[in-house]
Amino acid sequence: MKLLTITGLLIILFGCNVASRQEQEEKRPNILFIMSDDHTTQAMSCYGSKLIETPNLDRISEEGMQFEHCYVTNSICAPSRAAILTGKFSHLNGVTDNAKIFDGTQVTYPKILQKAGYQTAVIGKWHLGSSPTGFDYWSVLPGQGDYYQPEFIEMGDTITETGYVTDVITDKAIKWLSEKNQDKPFALVYQHKAPHRNWIPAPRHMGVLENKEFPVPETLFDDYKGRGSAAREQEMEIANHLWDAWDLKLASREELEEFGKNNVLKKITDAKQHDVEGANKRSEDLKKLYRVYSRLTPEEKNLWHKAYAKRVDKYKNNKPTGKELVQWKYQLYMRDYLACILSLDENVGRILDYLKETGQLDNTIVVYTSDQGFFLGEHGWFDKRLMYEESYRMPLLIRYPKAIKAGTVSDAFTMNVDFAPTFLDYANAPIPEEMQGISLRPVFENNGKKPDNWRKATYYHYYEYPSWHSVKRHYGIRTERYKLIHFYNDVDEWELYDMLEDPQEMTNIYNDPKYKDVVKELKKELAEQQKLYTDPIGNQLN
Ligand code: SGN
Ligand code: CA
């Protein structure tokens, strides 16, 4: 009798286990990871942008959670991508700068999901040097990729597609979604090139912002007083480092065609010969622009010249000078950068609609982010790299109604290394010990509020120097109140900002005696962070 009862109990328990396992299996969410390139929060209406409306991105925010403090571990493309895939900082995943090749034999979240029965794909920008691993399907842009008629490396073969890159990437993503095995959960890594430099809009958006005047950031004419040599010696100033033709499209049809005729014949293709300051600058500048312009169809070229005629005319006949010139360049930069975001937003809308129409939206974790932030004229800059907020902060929106309350905002400190463990957590897959990020589940469960014992600081380390834009190597931490940065390598300079009193980071208070104790505390915290993440620089320099 006793034996029977025990057997019965075992059957019930076993049965339950099977049932709950099946239930869990059914509940495993799909993952749609949407990442753009260089799209910053200042250009998203859900983050209060004064520059643009992004209704489709706002949808993700309104129906999900918006993160106010998500930070990149190393503010540049390949390093951010490698950190996202591996859940580890640059010194451990090996991609410390854009020149490093990602070792694809490493443990990544797509590999673990694939092993756990997910169908996986990556479509769009990849930029990691080696071929993607851990994906059932991949079709990626070579390197930075092209805006028009882009080439893709698709499962090892190079193909050229017709059209505008943001539209093409979305077409491919929707095609894959509709053709994949519908019985298994999916993880789709859908990554845009836009709005990366040199900011070429879709044909339908060419010229649409040409008559707009955008508000100028308060710090456009920053003189870097009190800041160190890193801020003064960078090469990413709107005033001095944007190229007239390549960046601002200040070249007429005649000049471009003339250039094309002569130089295609002479086969000048060596981009390494560029000499920014030298006498050849205009031809180097035209060469760079001509390479992308020559990809346009005749109809697209017509749209291009119609869109840019007014600015080219002003450039030739009535070019402003001094501060007005800087303001004008800022306007041209904004018109192109923001026009790229118009198609980005539309295409995100398309993929959300597709999931909705096919009944998959609510069972999908939809993430929108960008590989890092970007300067839109703040401190007089474009580009990123620095640990200052505009470049350091990533947009992060996550929609998953089964776990996230709609319209919630989170002020918890999160980092790009948290994405991988979050996905694995919700997929019921093991989170490897070596991943340094943490699952955001407690934040979702707490409706965005900081859970107890949540991290008090984020850690940062940038390495790409000397290189493009000349931003010196640095590392640092950000706490709720302060940001401490140490520039090293060819300098030994510290900066401290009070993020509450000085959110624009204009006053370096590191040497202010009032903050002696704060500095001491923060240095201790910095050392702890370096120990926590095992960054060897902690032993060498502090
Ligand atoms: C290119 C850009 C740089 C940019 C890097 C890295 N120059 O080199 O402005 O910082 O990419 O960008 S360009 O004249 O070729 O456009 S990243 O987003 O890939 O890290
Ligand atoms: Ca980028």
Side-chain angles (χ1 to χ4, degrees):
M1 182 63 192
K2 224 180 193 173
L3 197 73
L4 269 180
T5 324
I6 290 171
T7 319
L9 208 73
L10 279 177
I11 287 171
I12 292 167
L13 278 177
F14 182 71
C16 271
N17 259 341
V18 170
S20 69
R21 226 184 297 136
Q22 261 169 5
E23 237 170 63
Q24 281 186 346
E25 188 63 23
E26 273 158 29
K27 271 204 224 140
R28 289 202 300 177
N30 303 309
I31 292 158
L32 173 63
F33 180 72
I34 314 173
M35 184 155 78
S36 53
D37 196 349
D38 294 357
H39 187 196
T40 188
T41 51
Q42 305 95 283
M44 290 171 75
S45 37
C46 52
Y47 280 101
S49 176
K50 296 188 194 88
L51 303 166
I52 192 173
E53 291 293 323
T54 47
N56 291 296
L57 300 178
D58 293 5
R59 244 163 93 185
I60 310 178
S61 165
E62 281 153 20
E63 295 167 13
M65 192 174 284
Q66 174 167 315
F67 290 80
E68 296 297 310
H69 293 290
C70 179
Y71 293 105
V72 66
T73 44
N74 181 356
S75 181
I76 182 163
C77 186
S80 176
R81 287 159 203 270
I84 290 169
L85 287 167
T86 59
K88 300 197 288 198
F89 277 77
S90 308
H91 62 279
L92 293 182
N93 67 46
V95 184
T96 46
D97 59 46
N98 270 349
K100 300 282 182 309
I101 304 226
F102 182 67
D103 170 7
T105 64
Q106 296 184 70
V107 176
T108 62
Y109 82 82
K111 279 189 191 171
I112 301 173
L113 291 179
Q114 192 183 39
K115 221 166 136 198
Y118 273 67
Q119 285 177 92
T120 57
V122 55
I123 298 171
K125 182 151 176 190
W126 174 248
H127 200 203
L128 282 168
S130 53
S131 295
T133 53
F135 296 98
D136 300 320
Y137 172 77
W138 51 278
S139 187
V140 298
L141 302 170
Q144 296 284 7
D146 274 300
Y147 273 108
Y148 276 78
Q149 276 65 249
E151 275 186 1
F152 284 80
I153 311 176
E154 189 159 297
M155 308 292 283
D157 295 329
T158 301
I159 55 165
T160 305
E161 301 283 7
T162 307
Y164 181 68
V165 70
T166 310
D167 301 333
V168 174
I169 290 170
T170 310
D171 292 345
K172 282 174 170 290
I174 292 178
K175 186 164 183 279
W176 182 78
L177 285 172
S178 62
E179 288 173 358
K180 65 173 174 50
N181 175 347
Q182 303 298 334
D183 302 329
K184 286 169 141 193
F186 70 80
L188 172 58
V189 175
Y190 157 67
Q191 304 190 139
H192 285 289
K193 169 186 172 62
H196 192 274
R197 195 178 178 191
N198 70 330
W199 315 298
I200 308 182
R204 61 189 175 285
H205 297 130
M206 287 245 180
V208 294
L209 303 177
E210 260 337 81
N211 294 321
K212 278 220 159 195
E213 289 290 320
F214 294 97
V216 172
E218 279 171 46
T219 60
L220 182 65
F221 295 105
D222 191 353
D223 59 5
Y224 316 120
K225 217 174 119 222
R227 262 65 52 77
S229 53
R232 286 193 306 272
E233 290 171 21
Q234 46 56 43
E235 292 173 359
M236 47 190 218
E237 287 160 24
I238 289 177
N240 301 309
H241 306 108
L242 283 173
W243 294 34
D244 288 357
W246 167 249
D247 291 310
L248 303 174
K249 328 294 183 314
L250 297 169
S252 66
R253 185 195 284 266
E254 294 69 37
E255 196 183 6
L256 274 167
E257 279 172 9
E258 193 55 32
F259 179 86
K261 252 196 274 164
N262 297 333
N263 291 286
V264 168
L265 291 177
K266 277 198 254 154
K267 286 201 166 66
I268 296 182
T269 52
D270 185 2
K272 277 190 214 121
Q273 284 174 12
H274 94 239
D275 169 12
V276 185
E277 307 302 335
N280 274 340
K281 187 174 176 209
R282 185 68 183 169
S283 72
E284 290 303 323
D285 191 0
L286 283 173
K287 182 163 61 181
K288 247 171 111 90
L289 182 64
Y290 188 79
R291 200 195 63 75
V292 299
Y293 168 82
S294 61
R295 305 187 71 88
L296 272 63
T297 64
E299 295 75 37
E300 289 163 353
K301 282 183 181 162
N302 289 341
L303 288 171
W304 171 292
H305 291 298
K306 208 168 147 228
Y308 294 128
K310 215 171 111 188
R311 58 167 90 168
V312 172
D313 181 65
K314 184 163 171 173
Y315 181 62
K316 296 239 146 103
N317 303 312
N318 190 19
K319 190 173 150 186
T321 53
K323 280 193 165 181
E324 266 179 43
L325 177 62
V326 181
Q327 274 162 342
W328 186 55
K329 286 184 177 182
Y330 164 77
Q331 296 298 339
L332 303 187
Y333 163 39
M334 279 306 93
R335 287 172 194 158
D336 286 344
Y337 177 89
L338 296 169
C340 290
I341 292 166
L342 296 177
S343 55
L344 178 74
D345 185 73
E346 283 175 7
N347 277 287
V348 170
R350 274 178 69 204
I351 203 156
L352 292 177
D353 287 347
Y354 175 83
L355 289 180
K356 195 166 183 187
E357 281 154 20
T358 50
Q360 302 175 87
L361 186 60
D362 288 351
N363 196 37
T364 301
I365 300 179
V366 177
V367 176
Y368 181 80
T369 188
S370 170
D371 60 345
Q372 7 71 205
F374 212 67
F375 293 103
L376 302 185
E378 300 88 359
H379 304 285
W381 295 329
F382 63 99
D383 216 69
K384 53 262 178 180
R385 297 156 194 272
L386 281 156
M387 199 192 166
Y388 301 140
E389 211 68 0
E390 295 83 358
S391 130
Y392 184 32
R393 185 183 186 207
M394 299 167 86
L396 180 64
L397 311 173
I398 309 185
R399 183 194 191 281
Y400 181 43
K402 291 186 178 166
I404 297 174
K405 198 166 154 226
T408 42
V409 174
S410 178
D411 59 355
F413 275 170
T414 58
M415 296 190 280
N416 60 350
V417 286
D418 298 333
F419 303 167
T422 306
F423 300 152
L424 296 176
D425 187 354
Y426 280 94
N428 266 321
I431 303 172
E433 274 288 308
E434 65 187 82
M435 287 196 173
Q436 299 181 303
I438 38 184
S439 167
L440 299 180
R441 185 189 285 267
V443 180
F444 299 162
E445 287 176 352
N446 215 20
N447 285 335
K449 284 196 285 299
K450 251 169 259 159
D452 294 340
N453 303 322
W454 194 250
R455 67 165 72 93
K456 303 266 184 301
T458 53
Y459 179 61
Y460 183 77
H461 194 161
Y462 171 82
Y463 305 76
E464 194 177 276
Y465 177 85
S467 184
W468 282 92
H469 299 295
S470 261
V471 171
K472 293 186 191 299
R473 294 183 188 217
H474 58 293
Y475 55 77
I477 52 164
R478 196 227 196 270
T479 64
E480 209 168 291
R481 183 74 195 253
Y482 297 105
K483 189 183 286 178
L484 179 72
I485 313 176
H486 183 214
F487 292 93
Y488 71 99
N489 186 232
D490 57 341
V491 290
D492 177 7
E493 296 175 6
W494 292 83
E495 294 183 8
L496 172 67
Y497 297 96
D498 182 334
M499 300 308 293
L500 205 69
E501 297 291 325
D502 177 27
Q504 294 181 323
E505 297 158 294
M506 297 294 283
T507 313
N508 173 17
I509 50 177
Y510 181 79
N511 289 316
D512 184 334
K514 270 206 314 248
Y515 291 92
K516 218 176 126 215
D517 291 341
V518 171
V519 166
K520 213 168 135 202
E521 273 304 302
L522 287 170
K523 283 194 173 174
K524 218 172 96 199
E525 180 63 41
L526 173 67
E528 269 166 32
Q529 294 281 319
Q530 290 178 325
K531 205 166 134 207
L532 172 69
Y533 297 118
T534 68
D535 187 344
I537 197 112
N539 305 329
Q540 293 160 28
L541 285 169
N542 289 321

